[in-house]
Amino acid sequence: MSGSGMQNISHLSTKYKIKKMGEEDVSGILKLENSNPLYFLYCPPKPCRETVLNDLKALPEGKSLEDKFYIGFFENDRLIAIMDFILSFPEEDTIFIGLFMMDSKESGKGKGSAIITEALTTWKSEGYKKVRLAYMKGNMQSRNFWRKCGFTETGVEKENEHGIAVIMEKML
């Protein structure tokens, strides 16, 4: 775990091209998000330009933008997945995944689990010990995906502006 964050996000995948996403990518992110209406039933509001711009910069208290990575995974120049994660949160040895979403046309093909597996391997090699995330209570699709990736519920649930977030973790 170098205190200077991730040196090279391309190490997160051997199969997909990875790009740090920014304002210029909002329309592509929106297209991908709009292909997943189920997610936004549990985690409103429906995506729009403003929500994506907010997500690109959203940070927990005490963290800076150098700890945040909002990245896209590309296959043949087509955005197939997005991931937002924060280094060393809530503890120094932990990665927090704030968002992971596949283009719905790519769901069910094993690509999402493969992306997560590679990311976990990379983070472990960088010295991180644990990955934490949350899914919105009731969203069984999210819960089942993360369980398939080896995450388990911690028993902690937190109410937020969207509803009840169920905290999950995986030791690396």
Side-chain angles (χ1 to χ4, degrees):
M1 248 175 346
S2 60
S4 58
M6 289 200 64
Q7 300 307 314
N8 191 346
I9 57 173
S10 69
H11 291 172
L12 288 171
S13 178
T14 56
K15 185 164 185 186
Y16 304 106
K17 184 173 163 247
I18 297 180
K19 174 184 185 276
K20 196 156 184 187
M21 306 298 269
E23 282 187 42
E24 69 281 3
D25 302 302
V26 168
S27 61
I29 294 168
L30 257 177
K31 184 178 174 196
L32 186 144
E33 287 186 349
N34 281 320
S35 81
N36 286 283
L38 180 68
Y39 177 88
F40 295 98
L41 281 178
Y42 292 97
C43 197
K46 276 183 58 169
C48 66
R49 182 172 171 74
E50 189 178 330
T51 60
V52 172
L53 288 171
N54 287 342
D55 287 348
L56 286 169
K57 295 185 175 32
L59 285 168
E61 201 172 316
K63 295 309 287 181
S64 69
L65 281 174
E66 69 186 34
D67 297 320
K68 178 184 174 88
F69 292 82
Y70 194 118
I71 60 175
F73 294 79
F74 291 82
E75 183 175 58
N76 303 324
D77 295 327
R78 194 170 77 77
L79 181 64
I80 65 154
I82 52 175
M83 182 191 291
D84 173 15
F85 65 92
I86 297 171
L87 302 176
S88 300
F89 182 80
E91 289 115 24
E92 185 65 33
D93 65 354
T94 306
I95 299 271
F96 186 86
I97 299 175
L99 172 68
F100 177 70
M101 185 178 289
M102 294 292 299
D103 181 312
S104 63
K105 291 185 222 66
E106 302 298 335
S107 287
K109 298 178 182 178
K111 293 179 180 183
S113 329
I115 287 171
I116 295 301
T117 298
E118 273 199 293
L120 296 174
T121 300
T122 299
W123 292 329
K124 181 177 184 172
S125 74
E126 292 180 354
Y128 291 95
K129 303 279 185 251
K130 178 169 55 176
V131 178
R132 178 181 281 191
L133 54 87
Y135 70 90
M136 297 311 292
K137 191 169 188 160
N139 187 341
M140 300 315 275
Q141 182 186 37
S142 279
R143 188 192 100 186
N144 293 341
F145 172 78
W146 291 114
R147 280 187 170 179
K148 184 171 84 174
C149 292
F151 285 77
T152 54
E153 284 92 344
T154 62
V156 177
E157 296 183 356
K158 291 188 175 175
E159 195 157 342
N160 66 26
E161 67 273 18
H162 307 297
I164 297 172
V166 180
I167 310 297
M168 298 182 92
E169 288 183 346
K170 178 175 171 73
M171 299 306 290
L172 299 177

